[in-house]
Amino acid sequence: MVQQTSEAKLKQPTIQATQDGLNGRQFLLALLGMVVVIGLLWVGFIYLRDTKSVNILNALIAIVWGVGGVAALYGITNTLIESFPGKTRDRLRPFLFVLPAVAILFAFLAIPTLITLYQSFFNNDTTHFVGLSNYIATFTDHSMLESFRNNVIWLFAGTALSVCLGLLIAVLADRSSFETVAKVIIFMPLAISLVGASVIWRFVYAYAPAGQPQIGILNAALTSFGLQPQSWLTQQPWNTFFLVLVQIWAGTGFAMIIFSAALKGVPVELLEAATLDGANEIQAFFRIIIPYIQGTILTVTTTVAIGTLKIFDVVFVMTGGQYGTSVVGTEFYRQFFTNGNFGYGAAIAIVLFILVTPVLIYNLRQLRTQEGF
Amino acid sequence: MASAAASGKLTAVGSGRKKTSKWLVNLVLGILCFIWVVPTLGLLVSSFRERSDVVSTGWWSILPHQEYVTSNQVQLTKGLPLDKPIQVEGVTVTNQQLRDGYKLPDGRKIIWANSRGRLVNVQVQQWTMNANFTLDNYKNVLLGQQYTYQQPDGSTRTEQGENMGNAFISSLTVAIPATVIPIAIAAFAAYGFAWMRFPGRQFFFAMVVALLVVPSQVALIPLLRAFSSLQVNGTYLSLWLVHTGFGLCLATYLLYNYISSLPRDLFESAFIDGATPFTTFTRLVIPLSVPALASFAIFQFLWVWNDYLNALIFLGTSPDTQVVTVKLQQMLGSRGQDWHLLTAGAFISMLLPLTVFFALQRYFVRGLLAGSVKG
């Protein structure tokens, strides 16, 4: 239904048009304008490419260049299209709107992904075809195996704890006397960069040898109970868990806020009916609330899981991937940037891509059920 | 409103058991909130403490606590043998006990002030709080001043501060265009996908949805190579382009959801009045979509401001252009023990996102709810 009406609606401008046929003057003016805009954008590009100093003025020029350039391009292309005869114009119009975005997606994501796939079959500097040997190395190399093991820990421990804690806090907050404050506190780390979060937690985990004053709160707590201070970030294999904790601290707010919204959507009548039937709160939670919000739980779980698969910042900043904490993200960085191993780095990136494809396929399936597709 | 009604009804249904569970709920949640807030609090407090305090005592010592404070000193005979029991303040102790601190029966403590000079401190327990606050750390971190401090052995040392003010401006230079440009492009595309029919529409929109979860790592290597052949590596331009490319999927998807839900009559009447799709878009759709645009703008701004990997790869670590996250990471590497500077630096890097977050929380949450599909 929706499609039909919107198509009918699109015919309207054609009827309204006063003339059919190429508007020559408008066309030439628009073409001229286009040349001027592209010329100006090019000048701006060269200027911005060659200036490397930071100041507010350059930032402003950049904003004007970027936003003004986008606006001017759209405007002038629109004038150009409007000068065409009716049929051509109607056919071209949608592309004015979507083509820039589609072109950028091709240029920045789709095509680079294909190039990465291609490079993953080649050696260091993409000069010799090496078949699958980069992939074989990915799954046999000692350091990569360690990264996969850690990524599995991240995936399960990180996702499970974030989702469960998020749900727990959302439920508790819903019944507490200070819901808003609690939610803001749990949610706040989401606004902080993971680098900032890493500094915060490096300070929590700070370690000094026994006998010296401990400025890290965890070790201070240990020593006040008469225990030995621990070097949390260097002791394998537990250090990975201490890194996961940072991510949980930073990411639980996301799960909480989405669960919180979902909980508000559970019909009160349903819960009342359950209570009247003699269900206690725990039964109501597992039998009614959980089934009711299971779609949300799935969405949150996949989102958090993808985040943990791609994890890079926390590990890179806290330990640099040393002491047996490396993950696929840091290993990719090390192979590509530190070792200049393009083929190997590309293969790791493709493996990462393959790991998220189930979610990708699921999203596409969901899209098909959506109205209009 | 709905939640207030819900909880009201629930408590009406429940009985006395509910009351006990209410304080339990508050207690558990309170503990969780306390755990959540302590790390940040420690950072904030430490960033205002003197350098010497930060390295010698925990930040919680700003709270009132009992501590041994030296009341007087006892000078023992010079050259007294240390391998034999030592007589001091009426007790006999060993050298080791004096080194660790020995508790006298009356609660006082004796400890070496200087064992070579045979000087003993007699300490009493007192309530103290260690609350000397200063803004020096922020000055040193922001302005890159030289600063001098006393080392434990009494000598002074001069060090160069960090120029984080520069990184702050650099981050702004990156974040504002990298927020506005993708939104502008995505709004056009979202309108096109929502209200126009054209060949390839389904395919292209499926592409948008598919690329939502693709890890950016798969695109980094070819992009970096393309940029170096265009000579844009290390410029702001490269980072704007990258963030535009990577942010566009989510922006298009979110704005599509919003714009496609606008009432159809609106467009029909506009077309009957002779408006072209372009004017409908600029005069009607954009003003109506302000809430959605704001949500995504906050989302993207925080994402770009907090981004580390792309900034590191494309803009690099040059002191002129590096952004706050890269700067902070470098400080962590080069001066990992200078907690007075690190804490202040970390807080500066959080200042703007936290302000945005607290001021525009509602929009941020809305964007998050709508965009929870992104990986």
Side-chain angles (χ1 to χ4, degrees):
Chain A
M1 280 305 283
V2 178
Q3 273 156 314
Q4 279 170 357
T5 9
S6 49
E7 260 159 36
K9 165 205 74 194
L10 282 177
K11 300 254 158 56
Q12 291 292 348
T14 326
I15 302 158
Q16 291 290 323
T18 46
Q19 59 187 79
D20 265 7
L22 183 73
N23 185 339
R25 223 175 112 234
Q26 195 184 347
F27 176 78
L28 283 178
L29 276 177
L31 213 58
L32 189 70
M34 182 91 108
V35 172
V36 172
V37 169
I38 291 177
L40 282 176
L41 278 177
W42 180 252
V43 172
F45 171 79
I46 299 294
Y47 173 77
L48 291 168
R49 188 184 74 182
D50 297 339
T51 42
K52 291 196 173 154
S53 65
V54 191
N55 58 48
I56 301 287
L57 183 69
N58 278 340
L60 284 176
I61 291 175
I63 294 165
V64 171
W65 175 82
V67 180
V70 169
L73 264 186
Y74 276 110
I76 208 79
T77 316
N78 180 56
T79 321
L80 191 68
I81 287 175
E82 292 299 322
S83 74
F84 284 123
K87 267 261 170 70
T88 325
R89 181 180 59 202
D90 287 346
R91 218 170 274 157
L92 284 177
R93 251 184 204 144
F95 292 103
L96 160 72
F97 285 87
V98 297
L99 210 56
V102 168
I104 289 173
L105 288 186
F106 266 106
F108 283 87
L109 283 167
I111 296 172
T113 304
L114 293 178
I115 297 177
T116 303
L117 182 66
Y118 174 80
Q119 282 178 347
S120 68
F121 297 111
F122 284 81
N123 66 343
N124 290 354
D125 46 0
T126 330
T127 48
H128 291 289
F129 181 76
V130 294
L132 285 174
S133 63
N134 284 324
Y135 288 93
I136 294 168
T138 305
F139 289 105
T140 51
D141 197 13
H142 172 71
S143 60
M144 270 312 288
L145 288 179
E146 180 191 274
S147 308
F148 279 124
R149 184 203 66 195
N150 289 335
N151 249 97
V152 170
I153 297 177
W154 274 91
L155 183 63
F156 286 100
T159 309
L161 277 170
S162 278
V163 171
C164 293
L165 262 176
L167 187 56
L168 175 73
I169 294 169
V171 170
L172 290 178
D174 200 34
R175 287 135 195 266
S176 75
S177 335
F178 49 99
E179 178 173 2
T180 315
V181 177
K183 274 157 91 173
V184 166
I185 286 175
I186 306 290
F187 193 53
M188 191 202 65
L190 222 63
I192 298 174
S193 68
L194 284 175
V195 178
S198 301
V199 174
I200 290 178
W201 282 83
R202 277 267 293 249
F203 196 49
V204 171
Y205 291 142
Y207 164 79
Q212 290 179 25
Q214 299 290 343
I215 59 165
I217 194 163
L218 272 184
N219 277 325
L222 279 190
T223 47
S224 74
F225 290 119
L227 299 168
Q228 285 293 309
Q230 301 292 318
S231 172
W232 306 96
L233 295 176
T234 58
Q235 284 174 356
Q236 299 181 41
W238 300 107
N239 49 5
T240 294
F241 284 96
F242 294 118
L243 295 183
V244 174
L245 275 187
V246 180
Q247 170 72 22
I248 290 168
W249 177 80
T252 297
F254 167 76
M256 180 217 51
I257 215 79
I258 293 186
F259 285 138
S260 187
L263 286 176
K264 307 269 186 243
V266 179
V268 186
E269 296 77 24
L270 220 57
L271 293 172
E272 266 181 67
T275 321
L276 287 177
D277 286 346
N280 62 26
E281 288 213 42
I282 293 174
Q283 283 170 328
F285 178 74
F286 283 105
R287 301 267 174 84
I288 294 171
I289 295 180
I290 293 272
Y292 198 87
I293 63 167
Q294 62 184 2
T296 312
I297 296 178
L298 187 67
T299 312
V300 171
T301 308
T302 48
T303 309
V304 176
I306 291 177
T308 57
L309 277 177
K310 295 198 277 193
I311 193 73
F312 170 78
D313 301 17
V314 172
V315 180
F316 191 75
V317 175
M318 298 271 283
T319 64
Q322 287 173 301
Y323 318 112
T325 57
S326 69
V327 287
V328 177
T330 55
E331 209 48 26
F332 163 78
Y333 184 89
R334 194 169 71 91
Q335 289 301 346
F336 178 34
F337 290 95
T338 318
N339 301 351
N341 216 333
F342 289 170
Y344 196 7
I348 296 173
I350 292 294
V351 170
L352 211 53
F353 177 74
I354 293 169
L355 290 175
V356 301
T357 41
V359 183
L360 191 154
I361 292 166
Y362 175 79
N363 279 354
L364 284 179
R365 283 221 181 125
Q366 287 294 104
L367 180 70
R368 222 185 285 163
T369 62
Q370 221 173 333
E371 197 183 6
F373 283 94
Chain B
M1 284 304 279
S3 79
S7 57
K9 275 183 194 168
L10 273 181
T11 32
V13 171
S15 56
R17 195 175 55 84
K18 284 272 155 60
K19 265 183 197 154
T20 50
S21 74
K22 179 97 174 178
W23 72 255
L24 193 67
V25 162
N26 284 342
L27 181 73
V28 174
L29 191 64
I31 292 172
L32 282 169
C33 287
F34 180 74
I35 294 172
W36 240 259
V37 89
V38 158
T40 322
L41 193 67
L43 182 93
L44 185 61
V45 169
S46 298
S47 70
F48 290 106
R49 296 180 77 209
E50 306 260 359
R51 182 187 186 282
S52 53
D53 289 347
V54 174
V55 293
S56 60
T57 54
W59 58 269
W60 51 89
S61 68
I62 62 153
L63 299 172
H65 61 285
Q66 283 197 312
E67 200 176 87
Y68 284 102
V69 179
T70 305
S71 59
N72 60 310
Q73 294 189 316
V74 179
Q75 179 69 60
L76 304 179
T77 346
K78 291 260 157 76
L80 185 84
L82 292 181
D83 46 356
K84 297 204 175 92
I86 304 160
Q87 294 273 339
V88 59
E89 289 287 302
V91 289
T92 311
V93 290
T94 62
N95 179 32
Q96 184 61 41
Q97 280 173 320
L98 266 187
R99 205 181 288 157
D100 295 341
Y102 182 81
K103 263 193 196 158
L104 296 175
D106 57 1
R108 291 184 303 161
K109 193 163 121 178
I110 45 174
I111 190 166
W112 280 126
N114 182 351
S115 64
R116 193 176 296 167
R118 305 290 190 269
L119 191 63
V120 175
N121 278 341
V122 181
Q123 299 181 324
V124 287
Q125 216 171 22
Q126 267 179 5
W127 280 98
T128 59
M129 46 196 280
N130 204 333
N132 299 323
F133 294 118
T134 169
L135 281 173
D136 285 353
N137 302 334
Y138 284 93
K139 284 185 200 149
N140 293 333
V141 168
L142 266 181
L143 307 173
Q145 289 173 333
Q146 296 226 321
Y147 66 103
T148 318
Y149 62 87
Q150 269 212 326
Q151 289 190 303
D153 58 9
S155 65
T156 58
R157 207 178 139 174
T158 307
E159 267 195 17
Q160 183 72 37
E162 296 284 347
N163 193 348
M164 203 136 182
N166 208 22
F168 197 90
I169 296 174
S170 191
S171 271
L172 267 184
T173 314
V174 169
I176 295 174
T179 304
V180 182
I181 297 173
I183 293 180
I185 298 173
F188 275 94
Y191 174 73
F193 280 122
W195 294 101
M196 291 172 154
R197 295 296 173 268
F198 52 93
R201 171 175 169 271
Q202 289 187 344
F203 172 77
F204 289 134
F205 197 72
M207 193 175 94
V208 170
V209 172
L211 291 174
L212 270 177
V213 293
V214 168
S216 58
Q217 276 97 336
V218 291
L220 289 182
I221 303 177
L223 281 182
L224 198 60
R225 285 179 144 192
F227 281 175
S228 50
S229 59
L230 285 171
Q231 298 175 320
V232 289
N233 263 0
T235 66
Y236 292 113
L237 188 62
S238 62
L239 207 49
W240 297 329
L241 292 173
V242 163
H243 281 304
T244 302
F246 292 172
L248 202 57
C249 281
L250 184 66
T252 309
Y253 185 78
L254 286 189
L255 295 177
Y256 168 83
N257 283 343
Y258 189 86
I259 292 175
S260 65
S261 69
L262 292 174
R264 202 183 320 136
D265 315 0
L266 214 68
F267 296 93
E268 274 165 8
S269 51
F271 288 138
I272 289 166
D273 291 347
T276 64
F278 191 81
T279 46
T280 316
F281 175 74
T282 50
R283 303 265 172 83
L284 211 62
V285 175
I286 291 292
L288 283 174
S289 308
V290 165
L293 295 171
S295 294
F296 181 75
I298 295 162
F299 202 82
Q300 174 81 355
F301 181 82
L302 290 180
W303 201 75
V304 172
W305 184 275
N306 290 336
D307 163 69
Y308 172 69
L309 180 61
N310 294 314
L312 175 69
I313 290 176
F314 290 102
L315 203 51
T317 51
S318 137
D320 291 335
T321 52
Q322 65 183 177
V323 296
V324 283
T325 47
V326 173
K327 176 91 202 171
L328 196 60
Q329 201 279 335
Q330 274 208 324
M331 281 168 63
L332 205 54
S334 60
R335 29 174 89 219
Q337 297 309 315
D338 290 349
W339 284 111
H340 61 298
L341 295 186
L342 279 174
T343 50
F347 196 70
I348 289 169
S349 83
M350 296 168 198
L351 204 59
L352 195 61
L354 284 180
T355 314
V356 169
F357 168 73
F358 282 114
L360 302 166
Q361 220 192 102
R362 195 169 291 270
Y363 286 110
F364 182 44
V365 170
R366 195 182 301 162
L368 208 65
L369 289 175
S372 57
V373 287
K374 196 197 178 184

